[in-house]
Amino acid sequence: MATHNDSPITMDTFLAGIWRENPVFVMLLGMCPVLAVTNSVSNALAMGLATTFVLLCSSALVALLRHHIPKEVRIAAYIIIIATFVTVVDYVIQAVSLEVYNALGAFIQLIVVNCMILGRAEAFASRNRVGTTLVNSLGMGLGFTLALLCLGSVRELLGAGTLLGFPVFGEAFEPWVIMLLPPGGFFVLGAWLLLFAWVKEMQMKRTAHAGEASAHAR
Amino acid sequence: MHAESLGYIFLNAAVINNFVLALFLGICPLLGVSGRLNTAFSMGLATAFVMLISSTAAWGLNALLSAYDLEFLRLIAYIAVIASAVQLVEMTIKKFSPPLYKALGIFLPLITTNCAILGVALFQTNYEYDFVQSVVYSLGAGAGFILAIVLMAGLRERLELADVPSIARGAAMSLMLAGILSLAFMGFAGLGG
């Protein structure tokens, strides 16, 4: 059994997943659905919400059972828990909207092997209380959804000239179809990562400059 | 889908719909283990082997579950089979090649959560392939995975000597590379007709 650091719930528990430890942009986890289903905003949203639901339920259950799962078989136990909730989501989406189900295809079932969910179970849910875990997972789920939306909106905008199905650029726009095809996914995600790396570097330079300036002043 | 020849199934899984570059399955090892050519090749082999075992087992399981109307258990059964297959491969590699075991590190147990493997099992079920077709499909998928990860590793080894802007080092660069490779693989789409 892992160590128990039953840390209190803070704003940071929630916000960590959205920015500082964003599962997609910072930790590079769960990349497959990120690239595969983000060719439109609505697909991205559906996928994000489905993943968030599985993440919330499975991490809550893992947190509840954390004292009862033997250490040796914990990964297997986590996977079974996750697979159960994915089966639930799979059937629910099929019942609610066949259109979404067909658009996402096998990727709903492939939520099982989203490393982010297993990573949360192993790294957080197995060491924290249910409340803390729920808050943290919600943040992670939202961060994941946000990342999917970032990709989905850029790809739909450039690849089809629409946003959520509504035309944005008018008649004259020639769609950049490659953005909807597989290479577009790699390029757009690469571009977002470049952007974040650039922002991070600018921040570091600024703090370094500030440090130098104060050193000179002394 | 039934009338397709075995050769086409193999080619389809290996290059036309390459699991990594066209279907986006198995991106994590592609980004994680493609730093060195020989490590990448061993990782590809291990993954292909697990794919073959799990796809064979998945075919049997699916027949069994369908016979008893238990299709809702399919996902759980598949993932359990894959996890055990990975355990098997892990023990084998640890016994026969400890250096390789060290080189693959955390990515070896993570083959379990490689979506390409579950993807093979799920797709062959969706396409209703029979036993021989399933085996050929998984072999093709494995070959495609090895091809993609080895190409990627070769490119990245070359790039180590290149002067890349500091912000583009690491994941961003790998993704751009994967994008270009994926563009190249789109050329194979014509093979399918």
Side-chain angles (χ1 to χ4, degrees):
Chain A
M1 195 93 283
T3 50
H4 301 284
N5 49 339
D6 284 342
S7 49
I9 304 172
T10 56
M11 205 53 200
D12 193 55
T13 320
F14 177 66
L15 286 178
I18 294 184
W19 178 250
R20 192 166 44 80
E21 291 176 16
N22 187 295
V24 178
F25 292 136
V26 180
M27 303 206 290
L28 300 175
L29 290 176
M31 303 295 263
C32 308
V34 172
L35 292 163
V37 299
T38 51
N39 46 14
S40 76
V41 178
S42 53
N43 281 357
L45 191 64
M47 188 67 196
L49 293 181
T51 310
T52 308
F53 173 79
V54 174
L55 180 61
L56 270 180
C57 296
S58 60
S59 57
L61 198 59
V62 167
L64 276 173
L65 294 174
R66 69 185 189 279
H67 297 297
H68 304 287
I69 299 176
K71 191 169 177 280
E72 293 76 24
V73 295
R74 66 185 194 287
I75 301 289
Y78 299 160
I79 290 244
I80 299 291
I81 291 174
I82 296 169
T84 313
F85 285 111
V86 171
T87 310
V88 171
V89 167
D90 189 51
Y91 279 91
V92 166
I93 293 185
Q94 209 170 348
V96 173
S97 164
L98 208 57
E99 202 180 320
V100 173
Y101 185 77
N102 288 334
L104 296 181
F107 277 94
I108 301 175
Q109 294 177 14
L110 285 173
I111 298 178
V112 178
V113 283
N114 189 323
C115 349
M116 175 191 70
I117 300 181
L118 191 64
R120 274 299 93 186
E122 166 77 5
F124 201 92
S126 60
R127 298 166 195 191
N128 286 283
R129 274 169 302 174
V130 184
T132 327
T133 305
L134 272 177
V135 173
N136 181 270
S137 298
L138 189 65
M140 282 284 166
L142 287 181
F144 185 74
T145 313
L146 206 68
L148 282 173
L149 286 177
C150 280
L151 259 91
S153 51
V154 171
R155 286 180 73 185
E156 193 181 334
L157 207 58
L158 295 177
T162 58
L163 209 54
L164 273 169
F166 299 106
V168 175
F169 293 125
E171 293 287 310
F173 181 72
E174 185 65 42
W176 193 5
V177 183
I178 200 75
M179 282 300 158
L180 292 184
L181 296 171
F186 287 115
F187 287 136
V188 173
L189 183 57
W192 276 108
L193 288 179
L194 274 181
L195 183 72
F196 285 126
W198 181 68
V199 169
K200 218 175 266 174
E201 195 172 84
M202 295 300 270
Q203 274 177 344
M204 266 163 64
K205 264 190 193 149
R206 201 172 304 148
T207 45
H209 273 298
E212 262 172 39
S214 61
H216 278 299
R218 241 177 273 146
Chain B
M1 278 291 175
H2 289 285
E4 282 166 1
S5 68
L6 294 178
Y8 176 74
I9 292 179
F10 182 85
L11 215 58
N12 181 33
V15 288
I16 302 171
N17 279 315
N18 185 287
F19 266 67
V20 181
L21 297 169
L23 299 178
F24 297 120
L25 297 169
I27 305 286
C28 302
L30 184 76
L31 297 180
V33 207
S34 61
R36 285 269 158 272
L37 202 54
N38 46 359
T39 324
F41 185 65
S42 331
M43 181 67 185
L45 272 185
T47 310
F49 182 65
V50 176
M51 253 179 204
L52 185 62
I53 297 183
S54 57
S55 131
T56 319
W59 185 84
L61 266 175
N62 188 41
L64 195 72
L65 292 179
S66 305
Y68 291 101
D69 269 338
L70 289 170
E71 273 108 345
F72 60 91
L73 284 178
R74 193 185 283 150
L75 199 57
I76 299 178
Y78 282 6
I79 198 80
V81 165
I82 292 171
S84 2
V86 170
Q87 199 84 55
L88 192 74
V89 169
E90 196 180 342
M91 286 190 302
T92 318
I93 293 186
K94 198 174 181 181
K95 179 120 174 96
F96 288 108
S97 171
L100 180 60
Y101 181 76
K102 277 218 182 91
L104 293 177
I106 180 71
F107 284 96
L108 199 54
L110 277 183
I111 297 181
T112 315
T113 52
N114 183 337
C115 8
I117 292 170
L118 187 62
V120 171
L122 290 174
F123 285 138
Q124 75 180 30
T125 314
N126 283 354
Y127 295 155
E128 296 175 13
Y129 282 156
D130 64 25
F131 181 69
V132 180
Q133 283 173 323
S134 302
V135 170
V136 171
Y137 187 65
S138 69
L139 281 175
F145 184 80
I146 296 178
L147 185 65
I149 200 168
V150 165
L151 279 175
M152 190 75 185
L155 284 171
R156 278 179 67 177
E157 275 196 349
R158 284 288 180 87
L159 266 180
E160 259 174 32
L161 303 172
D163 187 21
V164 181
S166 63
I167 54 164
R169 286 202 190 112
M173 197 68 214
S174 310
L175 280 165
M176 290 295 176
L177 273 181
I180 294 167
L181 269 182
S182 166
L183 263 181
F185 267 72
M186 275 179 66
F188 288 116
L191 274 178

